[in-house]
Amino acid sequence: MNHNNNHKQTILGAGGAIGTELAKILPQYTSNIRLVARNPKKINATDELMPANLLNREAVFKAVEGSSIVYVLIGFAYNTNVWQQQWVPFIKNVIDACLQYQCKLIFFDNVYALDANQIEHITESSAIHPISKKGKVRAEVDNLIINAIEQQQLQAIIARSPDFFGTTIDKSLLMTMVYQNLLKGKKAQWICNANVMHSMGYTPDLAKGTALLGNTNDAYNQIWNLPVSDQALTGKEWIELFAHAMQVPAKMQVLPKWAIQTLGIFIPIIKELSEMTYQYDRDYFFDSTKFIKTFEYVPTTNFAAINEVVNTLKANK
C-alpha cells in the first residue's frame, strides 16, 4: 500500500451511485480529492469541485492534469446512439490525458463486452465477445485501454462490476423494479426468468474495491472483478429478501422476452433493455475470487446489504 496524502485522486463522473460511495472511501488514502461532473457536489469538506462537460477534450485534460490517479465513473445516457457517439471519443481523450500527465487510470466497467455464453461464470479471463450494440461499444473501450497498456505504457486497471444496487435508486434495475414497486404496493418485476441466478454488486463494496485497486501498485495493468458476494441468488430470491426486509408480501411479475420487445416500442428505456435480455434468461454468476483472495476481502452478504439499504432509505425519508 502506498498511502501518499498529497497525491490528487480524481473522479470523472462524480455523484453517481458508485462515485458518491467512492468519494466517501478515498479519504482513507488521500486528503486531495477532485470531483469532476457537470454539477459536482462535495462529499468531504476538503473536496475540490470541478464542473466540466467531459465530452470536451480540453475539459478532460484540465480534469486529469495534476492527478496521480483518475477513476472513470461517468455514466452516459442509457441509449445505444449516445453510447456509439460518446464513449470512444471520451475514453480516447482520457487515455491521451493520462499519458500526457503520467496519471494512472481506473476504468469502472460492466460486463456488457463479455461473451453471452460465458456469463454463467464471469471471471477476469472471460472472452470479450459482445452480442449487443452496447456491448460492442464497451468492448471497443476495453480494447483501447488494453492496447494503451500494451503499446503506450499506460498504467491502468479495468475494474468490472455486475449490475449493482444500493441507496441510490436511479439506474439500478433491482432498486427501480423491485424495491420501488414493492414500496408502492405494486408487484416487484423481473425480466425473462426469475428462477435463474443473477449476481448483483453492492455499491459500498464496489467502491471500496475500486479505491483499494487504485491505491495498490501491484494491481495495475490487469482486469479485476470487483468484490461481490458469491452467494448467487435467483430473481425470485432477490425479491423475497427485499420483501422480507421491507415487511411486505413478495408479490412478483416476470416480464417475458416478447413483452419487453413489445413494450420497447412504447417505452424508450425498455427498448434499450431488450438487447440485454440475454443477461436475464440464463444464469449470470460474477466470480470475484481473484480480488477476494488477493485482498482477503469479505464482501457484504446479500441479506445484510439489502437490510442496510432498506433501513437507510427508511431513515432518510
Side-chain angles (χ1 to χ4, degrees):
M1 291 275 153
N2 50 333
H3 292 198
N4 185 331
N5 277 348
N6 310 325
H7 278 192
K8 188 187 297 291
Q9 301 197 18
T10 296
I11 302 177
L12 301 184
I18 306 290
T20 302
E21 294 292 338
L22 180 59
K24 291 177 194 170
I25 308 282
L26 284 181
Q28 293 175 21
Y29 301 96
T30 180
S31 52
N32 195 342
I33 299 164
R34 176 187 283 167
L35 304 181
V36 188
R38 280 186 188 276
N39 184 18
K41 293 178 178 54
K42 281 194 179 188
I43 303 290
N44 313 294
T46 56
D47 289 346
E48 174 198 346
L49 301 183
M50 186 183 281
N53 171 9
L54 290 168
L55 293 175
N56 175 300
R57 183 171 167 91
E58 280 168 39
V60 169
F61 273 71
K62 192 169 167 240
V64 168
E65 188 176 5
S67 312
S68 63
I69 304 173
V70 165
Y71 301 88
V72 174
L73 288 167
I74 195 161
F76 294 117
Y78 197 74
N79 175 296
T80 300
N81 291 339
V82 171
W83 280 31
Q84 287 169 337
Q85 286 159 18
Q86 297 181 350
W87 261 116
V88 168
F90 164 75
I91 216 73
K92 282 181 175 169
N93 290 338
V94 172
I95 290 169
D96 289 349
C98 286
L99 287 169
Q100 178 163 326
Y101 297 117
Q102 296 188 327
C103 168
K104 294 173 172 169
L105 168 63
I106 290 68
F107 178 55
F108 183 89
D109 198 9
N110 58 28
V111 298
Y112 287 13
L114 304 181
D115 190 327
N117 296 314
Q118 295 187 4
I119 65 168
E120 69 270 5
H121 191 181
I122 299 164
T123 69
E124 287 79 1
S125 53
S126 296
I128 294 181
H129 185 246
I131 62 163
S132 68
K133 289 175 182 167
K134 287 187 208 64
K136 287 187 170 78
V137 174
R138 296 304 284 232
E140 203 176 332
V141 168
D142 282 352
N143 286 325
L144 283 166
I145 294 170
I146 291 164
N147 291 340
I149 291 169
E150 289 171 356
Q151 293 160 22
Q152 295 174 283
Q153 282 72 60
L154 176 70
Q155 293 280 301
I157 290 170
I158 293 175
R160 288 211 174 112
S161 157
D163 296 335
F164 51 75
F165 70 101
T167 51
T168 304
I169 292 171
D170 182 35
K171 295 197 177 78
S172 163
L173 213 68
L174 202 52
M175 297 307 294
T176 49
M177 295 179 77
V178 177
Y179 173 81
Q180 271 193 316
N181 279 356
L182 291 175
L183 196 64
K184 293 173 185 161
K186 296 181 179 172
K187 288 179 180 173
Q189 288 178 313
W190 202 260
I191 294 174
C192 289
N193 186 346
N195 297 315
V196 290
M197 60 183 174
H198 196 95
S199 294
M200 292 273 179
Y202 182 41
T203 50
D205 278 333
L206 299 172
K208 282 176 196 161
T210 302
L212 201 48
L213 288 171
N215 287 279
T216 304
N217 285 334
D218 295 346
Y220 279 83
N221 304 340
Q222 298 174 54
I223 293 172
W224 290 85
N225 279 359
L226 288 162
V228 169
S229 167
D230 64 0
Q231 179 212 5
L233 300 178
T234 64
K236 185 169 179 281
E237 288 166 333
W238 280 111
I239 289 164
E240 284 164 353
L241 276 182
F242 266 95
H244 179 77
M246 295 167 76
Q247 298 174 312
V248 297
K251 294 184 298 191
M252 62 181 285
Q253 173 194 21
V254 176
L255 303 172
K257 194 170 183 168
W258 61 263
I260 291 160
Q261 282 157 343
T262 312
L263 279 170
I265 301 166
F266 309 104
I267 308 168
I269 188 70
I270 305 246
K271 178 172 185 266
E272 291 298 331
L273 211 59
S274 73
E275 68 165 1
M276 306 310 301
T277 51
Y278 73 88
Q279 297 200 325
Y280 292 88
D281 65 7
R282 66 200 71 182
D283 283 332
Y284 169 119
F285 177 68
F286 188 87
D287 187 339
S288 314
T289 305
K290 176 184 173 182
F291 186 99
I292 290 165
K293 280 193 170 157
T294 304
F295 295 100
E296 295 176 350
Y297 188 95
V298 182
T300 313
T301 66
N302 294 324
F303 179 77
I306 287 168
N307 280 306
E308 251 172 54
V309 167
V310 169
N311 292 332
T312 305
L313 289 171
K314 201 188 277 179
N316 291 346
K317 254 191 190 154

